[in-house]
Amino acid sequence: MTTIVVVKKDGMVVIAGDTLTTFGSTRLGSVHDAAPEKLLKHGDTYFGIAGSAAHQLVLESLLKRHPEFTFHGREEIYESFRKIHPLLKDEAFLNTKEEEDDAYESSQLTALVVNASGIFGVYSMREVFEFERFWSIGSGRDFALGAMYAVYDLHKGRKAAEEIARMGVLAGAEYDTGTGLPMNLASVKLNAKAR
């Protein structure tokens, strides 16, 4: 349960996420959690991960041991997650089973990816999407998407992406029981090709 957002506007990309962890009906707020951050940095790329709390530590561990993975553009992201999938199975004992008629094994995680190349989403069967304006994942995503849609055209300038991202996470925290403040946020300047 979480709200993680990405925004691209005026030459900047931003990723933001809440800091609440839930275990069923139990809430572990950031004041009680020694590591509440849901944003993970690998080189010049930031990730926000939704789903099982185990995903964060598992992905963090794999990326530390495999610095060769790169995430610039859809193809690189796909290839890196394709290579990460067997590591998840072999080293972290991932249960790949979702639905009986799934076409592919599941990696069981959903992530947003931000770097100078743009904003991207990765889904459980390693589908990679590139977004032009904004997106959100987690249990508060619908609230975040609505809030960011409502304010996207109202904000301009270098800090616009950050302001829009904040609105998305704030909406998730206001209305979703699985989202809580404070939020973490990271900004990256887009490269010329991605603008």
Side-chain angles (χ1 to χ4, degrees):
M1 302 296 167
T2 190
T3 302
I4 298 173
V5 304
V6 291
V7 179
K8 175 180 169 183
K9 187 158 188 175
D10 295 339
M12 297 296 291
V13 291
V14 171
I15 186 168
D18 75 305
T19 54
L20 177 67
T21 299
T22 57
F23 307 96
S25 62
T26 303
R27 297 166 48 96
L28 177 63
S30 64
V31 298
H32 303 290
D33 190 346
E37 298 83 14
K38 294 182 182 176
L39 304 184
L40 169 64
K41 188 171 193 253
H42 173 73
D44 61 355
T45 299
Y46 290 91
F47 298 87
I49 303 157
S52 171
H55 294 326
Q56 178 96 8
L57 187 57
V58 168
L59 193 56
E60 191 175 311
S61 173
L62 284 173
L63 292 175
K64 279 183 184 172
R65 290 183 287 118
H66 296 277
E68 70 273 14
F69 292 132
T70 56
F71 301 92
H72 289 275
R74 287 182 68 227
E75 293 80 15
E76 274 190 25
I77 294 169
Y78 169 75
E79 285 301 324
S80 291
F81 273 93
R82 184 183 63 79
K83 293 171 185 170
I84 287 169
H85 182 74
L87 298 174
L88 291 171
K89 289 178 13 178
D90 296 342
E91 297 178 21
F93 311 105
L94 173 73
N95 176 3
T96 63
K97 196 75 169 156
E98 277 192 17
E99 302 296 325
E100 196 63 42
D101 59 347
D102 283 342
Y104 299 96
E105 287 183 344
S106 173
S107 292
Q108 300 284 7
L109 65 86
T110 302
L112 292 177
V113 181
V114 166
N115 56 41
S117 299
I119 58 176
F120 306 88
V122 181
Y123 290 85
S124 63
M125 297 194 191
R126 292 153 308 284
E127 312 102 301
V128 179
F129 296 90
E130 182 173 6
F131 306 110
E132 281 300 321
R133 296 167 43 131
F134 57 84
W135 198 248
S136 182
I137 59 172
S139 57
R141 72 185 166 274
D142 293 340
F143 303 113
L145 288 169
M148 292 186 296
Y149 176 81
V151 301
Y152 188 86
D153 291 328
L154 302 177
H155 293 279
K156 305 269 188 249
R158 182 169 165 75
K159 293 285 188 178
E162 185 175 312
E163 292 166 1
I164 297 161
R166 285 184 189 283
M167 294 302 294
V169 176
L170 286 172
E174 183 70 22
Y175 295 105
D176 175 51
T177 60
T179 300
L181 298 175
M183 74 177 78
N184 297 122
L185 187 137
S187 300
V188 178
K189 186 176 181 179
L190 278 171
N191 63 34
K193 186 177 176 183
R195 289 183 188 188

